[in-house]
Amino acid sequence: MTNRNWGAVMSVSEQPPAAPGGPAAEIAAGYAFEGAALDLGALLWDGVCHPDAPIRIPLPVLNRHGLVAGATGTGKTKTLQLIAEQLSANGVPVFLADIKGDVSGVSAPGEDGEKVRERAAQVGQEWRATGFPCEFYGLGGTGPGIPVRATVTSFGPVLLSKVLQLNQTQEQSLGLIFHYADSKGLELVDLKDLRAVVAFLVSDTGKAELKGIGGLSTVTAGVILRSITAFEQQGAGGFFGEPEFDTGELLRTAADGRGIVSVLELPSVQDKPQLFSTFLMWMLADLFDDLPEVGDLEKPKLVFFFDEAHLLFKGASKAFLESITQTVRLIRSKGVGVFFVTQTPKDVPSDVLAQLGNRVQHALRAFTPDDAKALKATVRTFPNSPYDLEEVLTGLGTGEAVITVLSEKGAPTPVAATRLRAPESLMGPVDAAALDAAVKGSPLYGRYAEAVDRESAYEKLTAEQRAAEAAALDAAAAEEAEKAAKQAGRQTGGRAPKPEPSLTEQVVGSGIFTSLARSIGTQLGREISRSLFGTARRRR
């Protein structure tokens, strides 16, 4: 069936449409779930919106992952807001990345108006202005949110290589550097720690340390050091450090039982796309490492929206993509659902796309041959449908989408053109004063606000260098003293006075020092265990 006027807007004054029949009735029946479900909108068919044919998604299948796609300006952000609100209302925590700076409104009640009432009437929605419990975060203290930091050690060599844009050889060398630091107990907290270890391993003293496992060439070390320096000059050094963010904070609920919506404010790092996309992957990998297996639940523990997903996959190595695929495949059984948000399904590798059971596809444009090719590729990713999907996808209005989800039995639902509900929270950012008050009033602010710079690899290597220099000076002084003593002995008949031991020799020879050295040596032999992405496993 061709539906040329299927998207026409129905005015509030029109009579409600008759119940759908034929193929439309079959589509509507595919969304008549018995258990708890989120209401996405109402069925569009043959130019008419049917409020008595709701399009829904069962709450238990939200951990089967999903995709929200569509061209710029088609309403993807409002769709995320709509889903986040209902998840929160059902006691499910949500994570959202706010790249454009307009998601903070989920914390405040929405504004009533003619357009909102019109949309609510069209889709059979009882709209009520509502704000939802939120926490606001910012990468490394950039922007107004609670600082989210990671240590270089826990971030790992694979993700860091992607941020630093290293090639495969350089990534392997960075892995050796992490291996050495882990085995020697040199904690890589921030970038100066990493720089210190790299510099040590190509120094005259440190060259032999990696000789048995391939070594580190000065050329590769130079590339890594230059990449770190350039990264810091972009202002990114503050993203690594302590206190490290505990991703378990994302699983919290409010006192009234609603899930907390965690909003990562990213407008201030829009010019560092690889950084924020890779940081999101670190958060997901960290959750994967920490959470236990739980199987299928009545509702997810967390739904994680991965915005601008194409940035994560762009230029990714085969090994990196395999790690993403495995993480997405396995994290479902830990109760976490992941929705990738991007412009077209082709932005997501096919192995990852195959894991995404729920699909919300907003309008696509076909202005160029490449657009037309992308449109055809998108249509092929949907099940067979009575719609002319190429026509539908290019004719969708703002706040409309083509949807297919998994049913309660795990089978795909029929493809449904849908007019989406209006979010009940504010469709836009809250003002700066309200955002600042929410951040500073959070119980987490005192825990993460101030950066801490404790002793780590940089300080330890610097101390060792200073100790070595002091020992060398002591040795030189002892040699001079011995020469002087021998000279004095010759003058006194060969009886040379015994020289007093230096302070360094006294300390090194003490029992306390020997015991401490043995303890430290034992600790240095414990290498950190690393996961799929090379992220460090830590006990909470």
Side-chain angles (χ1 to χ4, degrees), residues 316-498:
S317 66
K318 182 180 179 182
F320 190 83
L321 292 176
E322 287 174 351
S323 296
I324 294 173
T325 304
Q326 191 167 357
T327 300
V328 171
R329 181 183 296 121
L330 298 177
I331 203 170
R332 177 188 70 79
S333 63
K334 299 192 174 191
V336 177
V338 184
F339 274 69
F340 290 96
V341 185
T342 189
Q343 294 204 352
T344 70
K346 72 180 182 64
D347 293 334
V348 181
S350 57
D351 287 345
V352 177
L353 194 62
Q355 308 296 319
L356 312 182
N358 305 298
R359 300 275 299 278
V360 180
Q361 177 67 59
H362 287 268
L364 291 174
R365 309 301 179 216
F367 299 137
T368 69
D370 286 344
D371 291 341
K373 186 177 179 180
L375 175 62
K376 290 182 180 296
T378 299
V379 169
R380 287 197 297 270
T381 65
F382 279 92
N384 290 333
S385 166
Y387 292 100
D388 180 347
L389 284 180
E390 285 193 34
E391 182 179 356
V392 169
L393 286 172
T394 53
L396 287 167
T398 302
E400 296 173 346
V402 169
I403 292 174
T404 179
V405 302
L406 294 178
S407 70
E408 292 166 312
K409 297 180 179 179
T413 58
V415 176
T418 307
R419 182 162 292 151
L420 297 168
R421 290 184 162 217
E424 295 184 336
S425 56
L426 183 64
M427 290 188 279
V430 296
D431 63 71
L435 182 57
D436 185 64
V439 170
K440 292 181 178 176
S442 167
L444 303 182
Y445 185 76
R447 193 178 306 170
Y448 296 108
E450 293 297 325
V452 177
D453 188 13
R454 63 181 176 86
E455 184 183 63
S456 49
Y458 172 80
E459 287 79 12
K460 289 177 181 178
L461 289 173
T462 301
E464 288 179 9
Q465 178 66 22
R466 289 172 180 166
E469 291 172 356
L473 289 172
D474 284 345
E479 186 177 348
E480 290 298 322
E482 186 176 355
K483 287 179 181 179
K486 286 180 179 178
Q487 181 67 26
R490 283 193 291 270
Q491 295 174 357
T492 59
R495 294 187 303 277
K498 185 177 180 181

Side-chain angles (χ1 to χ4, degrees), residues 153-175:
T153 284
S154 73
F155 204 75
V158 178
L159 292 174
L160 189 61
S161 293
K162 191 170 193 306
V163 169
L164 297 178
Q165 301 181 49
L166 303 180
N167 63 28
Q168 185 176 358
T169 300
Q170 293 154 2
E171 179 183 328
Q172 291 169 348
S173 294
L174 189 62

Side-chain angles (χ1 to χ4, degrees), residues 106-128:
V106 73
S107 63
E111 297 177 349
D112 195 2
E114 183 180 348
K115 289 185 177 180
V116 169
R117 290 194 296 272
E118 183 178 17
R119 176 59 63 100
Q122 292 168 6
V123 300
Q125 176 184 8
E126 294 182 7
W127 188 90
R128 183 179 303 159

Side-chain angles (χ1 to χ4, degrees), residues 176-187:
L176 284 178
I177 294 165
F178 271 74
H179 166 77
Y180 173 78
D182 290 350
S183 63
K184 298 297 183 182
L186 295 172
E187 292 181 87

Side-chain angles (χ1 to χ4, degrees), residues 133 253-258 260:
T253 55
D256 61 5
R258 292 185 296 173
I260 290 179

